[in-house]
Every structure is written in C-alpha cells, then in structure tokens.
Amino acid sequence: MYCVLTSPLNGLFAGPGTKLKERLARSERGINRLDELARAHDIAYKNSNSLTDRHKANEILENQAWEVFKSKNSGIKEKAAYWLVTTAMKAKRKK
C-alpha cells in the first residue's frame, strides 16, 4: 500500500527513485496531471540512453509544464509545482 500526499509534486513518477519498471508492470498511472507527464518523461528516459533523446524528453516535459503554468485554470499550488518542473527540466538540458 502506498501513502500518497496530495501535493502536486508528490506522485508515483515525479523525481528520482520512482521504480518505473515495477510501476509499469503493475500498469500504474500517474495520480495527477503532473504525475502523468512525469510518467511519460520517465518512459522516454527508459527507452533511450542517448543524451540527445533525453534532452528532447526534458524539453517536452518543460514545455508541457509551462503550458499548465500559464493556464488560467491552474491554482497557485499547481502553478508552483509546474514552475519547479519547468525550471528543473531547463536546468537538466543545460548540463
């Protein structure tokens, strides 16, 4: 049984150590919109060791998160979480 907090940053797929292979074997989905985006990002990482491909995955997540951040339908906590993801993905591509 998993204890899942309700913050937009807490999820099954966001962040390191997500045990992607095990979660995919159980057909787990993200617990919220951000977690679904993180899941797709994790799958892209799993499917390629190419730095170019991984930078592209980072850019995709960055752009998707930015679109949600800009949305008028996003609350302040959600905006904060998506801003952090946008900033993190941008920083990862600059390495």
Side-chain angles (χ1 to χ4, degrees):
M1 177 111 153
Y2 297 102
C3 175
V4 180
L5 302 176
T6 58
S7 165
L9 281 178
N10 295 107
L12 304 175
F13 298 96
T18 60
K19 301 178 184 172
L20 179 66
K21 186 176 180 180
E22 296 165 22
R23 293 189 185 285
L24 293 177
R26 293 190 297 260
S27 300
E28 290 185 20
R29 305 294 307 180
I31 61 168
N32 56 36
R33 191 169 171 189
L34 179 56
D35 208 31
E36 276 295 316
L37 296 176
R39 180 182 183 273
H41 177 264
D42 287 358
I43 291 170
Y45 260 59
K46 177 184 85 61
N47 290 338
S48 180
N49 288 326
S50 161
L51 188 58
T52 301
D53 292 344
R54 288 181 170 200
H55 281 326
K56 183 66 178 163
N58 293 339
E59 183 179 20
I60 289 168
L61 180 53
E62 174 190 333
N63 291 333
Q64 290 170 326
W66 185 244
E67 288 304 313
V68 176
F69 173 83
K70 294 187 311 182
S71 170
K72 294 180 196 266
N73 297 327
S74 301
I76 190 71
K77 288 181 182 178
E78 189 177 20
K79 283 186 182 291
Y82 281 91
W83 180 83
L84 286 170
V85 169
T86 298
T87 303
M89 292 304 106
K90 194 175 292 187
K92 284 177 74 170
R93 288 185 321 156
K94 299 207 185 242
K95 285 184 180 182

